[in-house]
């Protein structure tokens, strides 16, 4: 589980990405590369950008699967649900 401050940053990044501001979301997750959930969000953002190679890199770091969610928005909602359970 991420540090509480990082936890709120991850939720904020997801909210921004869902709202369509994936660049701002990217800025929030960039410095959190030590956290697997941040890497998962990062991978999803690269998927939205159409950068499959970059996305797959971050999915590997997150120990998630690129193919698990064909819809990045649904994936972000699932990540947020996991963070807010």
């Amino acid at each position: 589980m991420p540090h509480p401050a990082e936890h709120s940053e991850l939720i904020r990044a997801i909210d921004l990405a869902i709202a369509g501001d994936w660049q701002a979301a990217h800025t929030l997750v960039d410095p959190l590369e030590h956290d697997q959930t941040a890497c998962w969000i990062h991978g999803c953002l690269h998927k939205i950008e159409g950068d499959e190679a970059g996305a797959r890199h971050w999915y590997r770091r997150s120990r998630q699967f690129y193919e698990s969610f064909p819809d990045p928005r649904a994936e972000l909602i699932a990540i947020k649900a996991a963070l807010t359970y």
Side-chain angles (χ1 to χ4, degrees), residues 26 36-70 72 75:
H26 211 149
Q36 285 185 342
T37 304
C39 290
W40 187 10
I41 296 166
H42 205 149
C44 192
L45 295 172
H46 278 272
K47 187 189 282 186
I48 292 167
E49 295 168 15
D51 175 14
E52 184 177 340
R56 287 186 181 279
H57 164 79
W58 290 104
Y59 278 91
R60 279 190 301 276
R61 292 192 60 175
S62 72
R63 298 187 180 167
Q64 299 295 327
F65 296 101
Y66 178 86
E67 297 82 4
S68 292
F69 289 87
E75 185 169 8

Side-chain angles (χ1 to χ4, degrees), residues 2 4 6 8 10 15 21 23 34 37 64-66 74 83-84:
E6 292 174 357
S8 64
L10 296 177
D15 288 340
D21 193 352
Q23 290 176 326
H34 60 278
T37 304
Q64 299 295 327
F65 296 101
Y66 178 86
L83 286 169
T84 58

Side-chain angles (χ1 to χ4, degrees), residues 6 9 24-35 38 42 58:
E6 292 174 357
E9 289 294 293
H26 211 149
T27 300
L28 289 176
V29 297
D30 263 344
L32 303 175
E33 65 182 40
H34 60 278
D35 179 81
H42 205 149
W58 290 104

